[in-house]
Amino acid sequence: MPDASADEISTHPHTADPRREVPVAGLPASPAGAYAAAFLGALFRLGVRHLVVCPGSRSQALALAAAALGRGGAHLHVRIDERDAAFFALGVGIESGRPAVVVTTSGTAAAELHAAVLEAHHAYVPLIVVTADRPAELHGVRANQTTTQTGLYGGALRLEEHVAAPVGAADEGVRAAAVAERALRAALGEATGTPGPVHVNVAFRAPLSGRASAAAAEERPGDETAGAAAPAVVVAGRRPLTLGLGPRTVVVAGSGAGPDAEELAHEAGWPLLAEVVSGARYGRELVVAYRELLREPSFGGRVERVVVFGHPTLSREVPELLARPDVSVVVVAPHGDDVVGAGVPDARRPTVASAVRVDDTAAGQRDRAWLRQWVTGSRRLVASAGGGGEAPDVARSRSSDPRERAAFARAELAAVREPVTRRLLVETVWQFTWPYDRLILGASRLIREADRVVPGKKISVYANRGLSGIDGTIATAQGVAAAASDGSQAHTGVTRVLLGDLALLHDAGALLFGSAERRPVMQVIVGNDHGGTIFEGLEVARTASPADFDRVLRTPQDVDLASLAKAYGWEYASAGTYGELERALSGQRAVPRLIEVPLGG
């Protein structure tokens, strides 16, 4: 958050330089305030409910208009870090399918949004970023906190609008509403079929706020427009596709695939290779140990066709399968122009369809042996890997033989005292997460461990896999939690974040909530292995010197997470054993909880 500078809040008494702004004393209504109220008020009437504001001087008209809307029914969130604000807004879009608005001042503040804008672009998440700017006369003269903000986000946008400094013209409110409507439609992908980020850059002259900010913004929306869903759009040239059952086929569900992948696998009787963040990791066709099976010639080697939903990012085996010359690939992409398997010769480019269904005439032709082979093979591998343990033999606790009862008690005590491994951690968090909850996974070894072992379960699981960065994981989860608990859902559970220690420290600022905001029921669960151990699986771990590897890649840290939690007003728990982890995950109170889980090796 840039500091307000002297020349931003005052003027020199002896200058008549027209490039400098001179506030007009006693002006009854600021054009900046009127425009901000009209623009944000229009978005509110169109159904935008979440406004995320970062304090700043140049954006004060927008901030005050947002505050007025907060009194009138909008959900107002205030963040002092622009990067966290943007990822918070991203989380709202992920959960709700509707864009949140994030407001910043000019200069570096606008640049701080870039990482979340890129993630929204690649993950097809609706987002509206509104940046305040200096008027034209302050550009090119080295005015403070002034840079070129148009074009700042490159080709990542669905729409960019630059608004010249309002002057109070009679039609500015109408034009502001038109910009708001275009921004919302573009963010939802109504014209292109591709949801994503939109940038509205508004220049403001002093006076930067006035009474109009509050007056126009408190208008309540009509119920007929609130929360309206975007219409379904099929990208030009992309049509639904009907497939026969002939070739040996698997369905791959990557990030954001959704239930369509499971429905197709169920309808056709094809093995479902669903990543943990796919939204399709459930059903009778699910193959949990898909990575290992893809490496076996009797499984992966016999695949003839792959139907891909979403964005697969969690394995090397899936990209290798898609690149094979003997495998035909069908990509189901209702929106977006990313084609899985790019880089292969044009003759083998994947078929891209807006949707896929199974030929009705193929009923009864399902290759049940093909599906059974994958499902039973997966169960065998998961069982042989151990980890989750067997269910306790409760009958022994009621045995008439005291030795049986004692053996049962010893086994239970041993289980409670068992040290937490990565596998036990992901399995336990998965076990504690239910349909009313939300689970957000950070970019770490834990998401890959979960993808490798957790069973099918129809729950809401998210991760920032558009670019797979560790940026903003906690802030994104806060946005998800805010959207899930804003009254649009019938039931709201716990929002859990499972991540590594570096991802936590990278986003520690997101632990800070706005002072007047209701805190969601959240748990941040940190698998602390003191550094980026994910790099230990790369070739560099074997070729670099241990000292260099630790210094510039693994980057071990030693932070007192209990003190960090206390500083930000979070409840803290340490869970080194299975029993401690169970206690920490249960009995959640209104105070957000940070759970540290020490992991060795």
Side-chain angles (χ1 to χ4, degrees):
M1 178 182 70
D3 293 328
S5 58
D7 72 282
E8 188 173 19
I9 58 178
S10 64
T11 56
H12 195 284
H14 304 297
T15 181
D17 188 342
R19 297 174 300 181
R20 297 184 63 84
E21 300 175 82
V22 182
V24 180
L27 188 70
S30 160
Y35 189 92
F39 173 70
L40 291 182
L43 285 172
F44 186 44
R45 290 191 298 275
L46 289 167
V48 172
R49 286 293 168 271
H50 291 267
L51 307 174
V52 191
V53 172
C54 301
S57 180
R58 185 61 46 172
S59 57
Q60 63 189 258
L62 292 163
L64 292 173
L69 286 167
R71 295 190 297 273
H75 300 284
L76 177 63
H77 314 276
V78 180
R79 295 294 181 271
I80 63 173
D81 185 300
E82 287 81 9
R83 188 183 69 172
D84 284 334
F87 276 103
F88 182 102
L90 180 84
V92 170
I94 290 172
E95 167 67 23
S96 69
R98 304 282 297 178
V101 174
V102 57
V103 171
T104 77
T105 190
S106 62
T108 58
E112 293 289 343
L113 309 180
H114 204 162
V117 167
L118 288 175
E119 177 64 28
H121 165 55
H122 287 280
Y124 308 127
V125 177
L127 174 68
I128 298 175
V129 300
V130 183
T131 56
D133 200 353
R134 298 312 205 259
E137 62 269 22
L138 291 184
H139 279 262
V141 294
R142 301 199 70 183
N144 190 47
Q145 292 185 357
T146 305
T147 188
T148 302
Q149 294 178 191
T150 55
L152 182 62
Y153 308 118
L157 299 173
R158 304 299 179 266
L159 175 72
E160 183 174 52
E161 292 264 0
H162 176 71
V163 178
V167 295
D171 65 341
E172 280 182 347
V174 175
R175 284 189 278 145
V179 172
E181 184 173 2
R182 289 197 297 272
L184 178 59
R185 290 184 177 277
L188 291 171
E190 290 192 5
T192 63
T194 309
V198 166
H199 178 203
V200 179
N201 187 63
V202 188
F204 289 118
R205 288 191 183 90
L208 296 173
S209 60
R211 292 198 297 270
S213 297
E218 289 193 11
E219 182 178 352
R220 297 296 296 268
D223 292 339
E224 69 278 2
T225 58
V233 177
V234 176
V235 180
R238 197 172 299 174
R239 296 289 182 266
L241 182 67
T242 299
L243 296 177
L245 294 177
R248 287 188 293 269
T249 304
V250 296
V251 177
V252 168
S255 175
D260 289 351
E262 190 277 335
E263 290 174 9
L264 178 68
H266 180 72
E267 181 185 7
W270 290 330
L272 174 61
L273 285 51
E275 292 185 348
V276 69
V277 292
S278 64
R281 198 180 177 97
Y282 57 92
R284 291 179 296 179
E285 290 73 26
L286 179 65
V287 178
V288 173
Y290 69 89
R291 303 183 192 199
E292 294 87 346
L293 294 180
L294 284 177
R295 293 195 295 265
E296 294 189 18
S298 59
F299 288 88
R302 298 177 63 208
V303 174
E304 297 172 333
R305 182 173 61 189
V306 183
V307 183
V308 184
F309 291 78
H311 185 198
T313 64
L314 290 176
S315 75
R316 296 179 178 180
E317 289 80 9
V318 166
E320 290 170 357
L321 174 67
L322 300 179
R324 273 175 35 192
D326 60 331
V327 173
S328 65
V329 177
V330 177
V331 176
V332 184
H335 53 243
D337 54 5
D338 287 344
V339 178
V340 177
V344 301
D346 288 342
R348 293 199 299 104
R349 295 286 286 180
T351 301
V352 182
S354 61
V356 169
R357 62 181 299 273
V358 179
D359 188 349
D360 290 336
T361 63
Q365 300 177 24
R366 290 168 175 77
D367 189 347
R368 291 180 173 81
W370 174 245
L371 173 62
R372 185 167 55 251
Q373 178 187 7
W374 282 82
V375 173
T376 57
S378 173
R379 290 172 180 168
R380 169 178 50 83
L381 286 171
V382 171
S384 65
E390 299 180 357
D393 184 0
V394 180
R396 298 180 72 190
S397 67
R398 299 191 294 265
S399 173
S400 59
D401 186 343
R403 291 172 298 181
E404 288 287 309
R405 296 196 302 272
F408 175 84
R410 286 194 299 271
E412 287 297 287
L413 183 59
V416 168
R417 292 177 173 175
E418 181 181 359
V420 180
T421 62
R422 287 187 184 85
R423 174 164 182 169
L424 184 57
L425 174 57
V426 299
E427 287 180 330
T428 306
V429 171
W430 191 259
Q431 174 191 347
F432 270 79
T433 304
W434 294 102
Y436 294 157
D437 299 333
R438 304 293 185 272
L439 176 59
I440 293 85
L441 300 174
S444 68
R445 289 179 68 176
L446 293 170
I447 189 173
R448 287 166 173 79
E449 185 68 15
D451 188 59
R452 191 175 66 86
V453 300
V454 297
K457 198 173 187 180
K458 197 172 183 179
I459 56 178
S460 297
V461 185
Y462 304 122
N464 288 337
R465 302 305 295 176
L467 289 179
S468 302
I470 67 172
D471 316 55
T473 306
I474 298 172
T476 300
Q478 284 191 5
V480 168
S485 60
D486 66 2
S488 60
Q489 306 285 341
H491 302 280
T492 303
V494 180
T495 298
R496 293 187 176 88
V497 188
L498 179 61
L499 75 175
D501 52 300
L502 292 189
L504 166 74
L505 296 175
H506 195 276
D507 200 30
L511 296 173
L512 182 64
F513 290 92
S515 59
E517 296 172 31
R518 181 175 61 86
R519 297 189 174 194
V521 181
M522 282 190 71
Q523 295 175 347
V524 172
I525 304 137
V526 186
N528 191 353
D529 53 11
H530 299 284
T533 60
I534 192 171
F535 294 111
E536 292 174 359
L538 303 180
E539 182 181 355
V540 65
R542 298 184 296 274
T543 58
S545 73
D548 289 348
F549 176 81
D550 271 6
R551 178 78 188 279
V552 301
L553 286 165
R554 191 167 181 270
T555 58
Q557 307 295 324
D558 188 15
V559 176
D560 184 349
L561 298 189
S563 297
L564 181 69
K566 182 179 180 180
Y568 284 108
W570 285 60
E571 187 178 82
Y572 171 83
S574 178
T577 67
Y578 176 68
E580 291 171 341
L581 181 59
E582 274 200 322
R583 287 193 296 274
L585 292 173
S586 61
Q588 175 69 24
R589 298 187 301 173
V591 178
R593 179 180 295 172
L594 189 151
I595 303 169
E596 181 179 8
V597 183
L599 298 173

